[in-house]
Amino acid sequence: MNSIKYLFFLVFTISCISPALSQIKEENDKLSLNSGTIDNQFEFVIRRSGSWQEYKTVKKTWLYTLKSHTLDSLKAVHKNLVETQTVVKTQAKEIENLKANLSNTQGDLDKTNTEKNNMTLFGMLMSKTNYNVLMWSIIGGLLGLLLFFIYKFKNSNSITRDAKKALEETEEEFDEHRKTALEREQKVRRQLQDEINKHKNA
């Protein structure tokens, strides 16, 4: 009975430990000195090195390889750091340029808004409202002058027509008077001629 319990316990323990052991084996298989991260390479050296009391015995070739890989990684990190610093400096300059351009653009925008909301007339800057009032006042004044000149023109034209009509009537009267005077003169001459003829015959 005890042997069955022992056998059962042994099978149960192996079935529980077996997945953990296979996982550890897979992890050990994944570890390599020539691939993976530096952390994995250190882990490989630590796990594969021999133990003696509280010390680890490590192969020199592994240490040199690990050192080489570590230095390569540090060089790569340093190179990336230098490149990153260069990029940061370049971007800082670009940001400064953009800030300067933004400041200039803001100044131009303010100037444009001022010019848009104001008008220059005779060298004086005035708001659009005042400009519109002044322009409409000038237009109203010119329109008033135009109406005044139209009225004066029509009035003068009417006076001229009346004067022409009066002149024509005067000319007609003068022609009539001249015709009457001519007829009278002719009549007087005939009478005078008749009188002269009478005296001659007498």
Side-chain angles (χ1 to χ4, degrees), residues 67-117:
K67 176 185 176 184
S68 174
H69 292 170
T70 305
L71 289 175
D72 288 343
S73 297
L74 286 174
K75 284 178 184 176
V77 169
H78 182 69
K79 183 181 177 184
N80 287 338
L81 181 61
V82 170
E83 289 175 355
T84 303
Q85 287 176 343
T86 304
V87 170
V88 168
K89 286 180 182 176
T90 304
Q91 288 179 346
K93 286 181 182 177
E94 288 177 358
I95 289 170
E96 288 299 320
N97 291 335
L98 288 173
K99 282 182 180 178
N101 290 336
L102 180 62
S103 177
N104 293 335
T105 304
Q106 187 65 43
D108 291 341
L109 181 63
D110 293 340
K111 185 179 178 182
T112 303
N113 285 334
T114 303
E115 290 175 355
K116 184 180 78 173
N117 295 327

Side-chain angles (χ1 to χ4, degrees), residues 171-184:
E171 285 179 350
E172 286 177 3
E173 288 177 5
F174 180 73
D175 287 342
E176 191 69 30
H177 178 69
R178 190 175 60 182
K179 192 186 289 183
T180 306
L182 189 61
E183 288 176 356
R184 197 179 309 138

Side-chain angles (χ1 to χ4, degrees), residues 6-201:
Y6 178 75
L7 185 63
F8 179 73
F9 177 74
L10 188 63
V11 169
F12 178 75
T13 306
I14 290 171
S15 65
C16 289
I17 294 173
S18 178
L21 289 174
S22 64
Q23 186 175 357
I24 292 169
K25 186 177 183 304
E26 285 177 10
E27 287 179 1
N28 286 335
D29 289 341
K30 285 180 184 177
L31 297 175
S32 171
L33 186 62
N34 294 313
S35 63
T37 62
I38 294 293
D39 184 50
N40 285 344
Q41 291 176 18
F42 269 104
E43 193 65 30
F44 172 84
V45 170
I46 291 169
R47 288 190 183 184
R48 296 293 177 90
S49 298
S51 295
W52 181 73
Q53 292 182 1
E54 60 194 55
Y55 305 104
K56 282 280 187 180
T57 56
V58 183
K59 292 181 181 180
K60 285 184 179 181
T61 54
W62 289 2
L63 286 177
Y64 289 131
T65 303
L66 190 59
K67 176 185 176 184
S68 174
H69 292 170
T70 305
L71 289 175
D72 288 343
S73 297
L74 286 174
K75 284 178 184 176
V77 169
H78 182 69
K79 183 181 177 184
N80 287 338
L81 181 61
V82 170
E83 289 175 355
T84 303
Q85 287 176 343
T86 304
V87 170
V88 168
K89 286 180 182 176
T90 304
Q91 288 179 346
K93 286 181 182 177
E94 288 177 358
I95 289 170
E96 288 299 320
N97 291 335
L98 288 173
K99 282 182 180 178
N101 290 336
L102 180 62
S103 177
N104 293 335
T105 304
Q106 187 65 43
D108 291 341
L109 181 63
D110 293 340
K111 185 179 178 182
T112 303
N113 285 334
T114 303
E115 290 175 355
K116 184 180 78 173
N117 295 327
N118 295 289
M119 305 290 286
T120 304
L121 184 67
F122 306 123
M124 294 188 328
L125 196 67
M126 60 173 58
S127 67
K128 277 191 173 179
T129 305
N130 292 338
Y131 179 81
N132 288 334
V133 169
L134 181 62
M135 285 294 106
W136 283 111
S137 300
I138 291 171
I139 290 170
L142 291 174
L143 189 60
L145 285 173
L146 178 63
L147 292 174
F148 175 73
F149 283 122
I150 289 172
Y151 167 75
K152 292 296 280 181
F153 174 75
K154 284 188 174 180
N155 193 26
S156 300
N157 200 18
S158 175
I159 291 170
T160 304
R161 275 200 308 268
D162 291 343
K164 280 185 178 180
K165 189 175 179 183
L167 181 61
E168 287 173 359
E169 289 175 354
T170 304
E171 285 179 350
E172 286 177 3
E173 288 177 5
F174 180 73
D175 287 342
E176 191 69 30
H177 178 69
R178 190 175 60 182
K179 192 186 289 183
T180 306
L182 189 61
E183 288 176 356
R184 197 179 309 138
E185 185 181 347
Q186 288 175 351
K187 187 177 180 182
V188 169
R189 281 184 181 174
R190 275 197 299 269
Q191 287 176 355
L192 182 61
Q193 188 67 37
D194 289 343
E195 287 296 323
I196 290 171
N197 289 337
K198 279 182 188 179
H199 283 294
K200 281 184 181 180
N201 291 331

